Amino acid sequence: MDANDGSMEPWMEELLQEGSLGEGQPVKTEKQARILAAAIEVFAAKGYAGSSTSEIAQKAGVAEGTIFRHYRTKKELLVSIVTPAMMRMMAPFVIRGFGDVLDAEHDSFEQFVRRMIDNRIAFVSRNKRLFRIVAQELPFHPEMREQFKSIILTKVLARMTAVIEKFQRVGQIAPMPPHTVARLMASTLIGYVLPRMLLSGEAGWDDEAEREATVSFLVKGLSP
């Protein structure tokens, strides 16, 4: 996979640009960019535990020793390079698209839920590798969880709280703590998005029915 590959996702294109890894970690050479791109692809497809540096090296077209000259272990490749870089790129991509929904005017809580689902489905469809790496590795790597909380969660939560409080004031959401409402919404949405990504197109998966059930569950479950 290279920067001209049609499978390259938008966040990866930005990530692989010169200097996009942040201070002290620039992508200086074409070889380093290939290693990073290969690591992202392998981690996304197989997860950290199921991946090997030899496979990453083969996909990048470099000797395995080349990886170890830059990163002492596979863990260091994930945590010190892929994870921080991914999180720096993930934050603007998450906020950039989701902010349009959070800042828009909505006639009802149901309309907001539908727009939020459509927005996040579109985001996941454009950034499948990113979503897979985060979903697979977040529970197992404290470094990722801390970055996720500080870079993404705090930025989204404040704006989500404002939307929830607005619908609570007009009596469309039960008077629970806004953080509780946001947690229930997030867990329900993830419970739809993950199976959709894995099962969509397979026999027995009715996406329209699953989407409507998700909307109904949130709207009715959170009503006063």
Side-chain angles (χ1 to χ4, degrees):
M1 181 178 60
D2 57 41
N4 297 316
D5 191 333
S7 67
M8 184 76 69
E9 295 170 7
W11 71 278
M12 293 171 65
E13 292 179 358
E14 292 195 21
L15 177 63
L16 297 176
Q17 290 174 1
E18 180 71 22
S20 62
L21 286 183
E23 185 177 355
Q25 299 183 71
V27 179
K28 294 181 179 178
T29 68
E30 185 267 342
K31 184 177 293 186
Q32 285 175 291
R34 291 207 315 270
I35 292 172
L36 179 59
I40 291 169
E41 186 172 0
V42 173
F43 286 146
K46 297 188 173 183
Y48 171 79
S51 303
S52 68
T53 52
S54 61
E55 183 177 6
I56 293 170
Q58 182 178 14
K59 187 170 288 292
V62 301
E64 188 174 10
T66 301
I67 294 178
F68 290 120
R69 281 201 294 272
H70 297 286
Y71 321 114
R72 290 171 297 177
T73 64
K74 183 176 69 168
K75 174 77 171 183
E76 184 173 303
L77 176 60
L78 175 71
V79 174
S80 299
I81 302 298
V82 177
T83 300
M86 178 182 62
M87 286 303 179
R88 277 192 291 274
M89 294 310 303
M90 186 178 180
F93 269 96
V94 170
I95 301 298
R96 188 181 306 165
F98 202 23
D100 294 340
V101 176
L102 294 174
D103 295 338
E105 290 296 323
H106 309 282
D107 296 331
S108 65
F109 178 56
E110 179 178 344
Q111 184 184 67
F112 170 67
V113 170
R114 290 184 181 279
R115 289 177 175 175
M116 180 177 66
I117 289 175
D118 288 343
N119 180 277
R120 294 299 82 191
I121 289 297
F123 173 81
V124 170
S125 296
R126 291 193 304 268
N127 301 279
K128 290 180 181 179
R129 292 188 184 93
L130 175 64
F131 186 80
R132 286 193 184 114
I133 292 174
V134 173
Q136 289 170 168
E137 307 305 334
L138 200 63
F140 306 109
H141 300 286
E143 305 92 335
M144 287 184 68
R145 290 199 299 273
E146 287 304 311
Q147 289 179 347
F148 186 86
K149 285 161 56 178
S150 63
I151 296 174
I152 296 169
L153 192 59
T154 55
K155 294 181 180 180
V156 172
L157 190 57
R159 296 166 75 175
M160 178 71 95
T161 297
V163 175
I164 291 169
E165 290 176 338
K166 185 192 79 170
F167 285 117
Q168 286 180 323
R169 288 194 295 269
V170 298
Q172 293 190 28
I173 297 179
M176 294 184 284
H179 286 198
T180 300
V181 176
R183 177 181 59 79
L184 293 171
M185 291 179 67
S187 59
T188 302
L189 181 59
I190 292 170
Y192 166 60
V193 171
L194 273 176
R196 183 186 189 277
M197 187 175 72
L198 297 172
L199 301 176
S200 183
E202 294 189 8
W205 177 266
D206 185 337
D207 191 55
E208 184 62 27
E210 294 294 337
R211 182 182 300 234
E212 289 304 311
T214 301
V215 172
S216 177
F217 180 81
L218 283 172
V219 173
K220 294 179 180 179
L222 292 172
S223 64

